[in-house]
Amino acid sequence: MTDQVQELVAECLRARDMAYCPYSRFPVGAAVLSADGAIITGCNVENASYGLTVCAERTAIQRAVAEGHRHFTAIAVTCDIKDRFVGPCGACRQVLMEFGSDWIVYLTKPDGSYKETSLSQLLPLAFSPSHLGKN
Ligand code: THU
């Protein structure tokens, strides 16, 4: 794996340790890679009003956008499940799609091993900004 992928994977694992998940006890970490090489992380942030919970992937994206990033190439996501690769929820896939379909997605296990896939594979025939005449 390249140094950059290694760092992205390491950062999503570190972000998972920051998860605020007293209700589910299911920590998730995410790290997005911007086109200019910046890595921005996120974790899930739960709420006593359960529906207000924000997933790790969306925390990372929203943070990244707020910090001025809009072009992304990859995201690494992880949780505590050791025996299989776990993908982002459907809502998060759609939120990633807002910022392009070209994302590489690294589904990462707690030991740092990962499976490489892509947003197009995870969300085929997606609705996207292009359908509204936006890029
Ligand atoms: N969660 C994420 O952070 N990302 C996902 O893609 C799936 C689910 C969080 C939400 C909630 O805090 C916990 O995992 C259990 O659903």
Side-chain angles (χ1 to χ4, degrees):
M1 88 171 110
T2 67
D3 283 356
Q4 205 172 39
V5 175
Q6 194 163 6
E7 201 188 335
L8 194 67
V9 161
E11 286 294 331
C12 85
L13 290 164
R14 264 197 284 276
R16 183 198 50 181
D17 294 338
M18 305 308 290
Y20 175 73
C21 54
Y23 307 106
S24 71
R25 305 246 170 238
F26 189 86
V28 182
V32 299
L33 180 63
S34 74
D36 60 8
I39 291 177
I40 303 95
T41 59
C43 59
N44 49 334
V45 182
E46 297 187 343
N47 192 277
S49 178
Y50 297 162
L52 299 183
T53 290
V54 183
C55 291
E57 298 88 329
R58 276 179 286 155
T59 302
I61 290 279
Q62 286 164 13
R63 230 180 128 184
V65 171
E67 289 177 11
H69 305 284
R70 290 194 180 179
H71 302 289
F72 304 100
T73 59
I75 181 169
V77 295
T78 195
C79 62
D80 277 350
I81 293 177
K82 296 185 179 68
D83 60 347
R84 67 210 121 123
F85 295 104
V86 182
C89 81
C92 288
R93 293 176 197 201
Q94 183 67 39
V95 169
L96 294 177
M97 186 60 73
E98 183 67 21
F99 296 96
S101 57
D102 284 344
W103 294 77
I104 299 172
V105 181
Y106 298 101
L107 309 178
T108 306
K109 286 182 182 171
D111 67 1
S113 60
Y114 64 86
K115 177 186 170 73
E116 180 177 333
T117 180
S118 66
L119 185 58
S120 311
Q121 275 178 290
L122 294 174
L123 195 62
L125 300 173
F127 184 70
S128 75
S130 68
H131 296 110
L132 300 176
K134 312 279 179 196
N135 289 313

